[in-house]
Amino acid sequence: MRARVAMLIAWTVLLGGCSSGVEGSPVAAERWDPCSIPDEAIQATGLDPATKDEGWGEGIVVDDWAVCEYLLPGASGVSPVNGAILF
């Protein structure tokens, strides 16, 4: 019985892998801004919304990617070593 079930699963996977591709055309992805996450959601993860640090730094511009950093409660500094969580 186990052999039959295993054979059926293997056959299903094999046939599924040989199916035709997805139809349609690609859609350009919008730039996601992690700093748009509500403070309540950030706090629910255990991070401190009051420590939000936005952007890449002075003079750095990245068009395709936004960055936002939060510190763990009681952490100091702005590096991952000091308890920062980078989105």
Side-chain angles (χ1 to χ4, degrees), residues 68-81:
C68 197
E69 186 175 51
Y70 299 89
L71 295 178
L72 295 169
S76 62
V78 291
S79 73
V81 175

Side-chain angles (χ1 to χ4, degrees), residues 3-58:
R4 286 184 182 181
V5 171
M7 185 64 127
L8 179 62
I9 291 172
W11 190 250
T12 304
V13 170
L14 179 64
L15 289 177
C18 295
S19 65
S20 63
V22 177
E23 293 183 25
S25 59
V27 178
E30 292 183 27
R31 182 175 186 246
W32 178 65
D33 182 6
C35 293
S36 67
I37 300 172
D39 287 348
E40 296 80 24
I42 295 298
Q43 192 169 24
T45 66
L47 299 174
D48 184 1
T51 63
K52 178 167 51 175
D53 184 22
E54 297 184 46
W56 287 96
E58 189 174 330

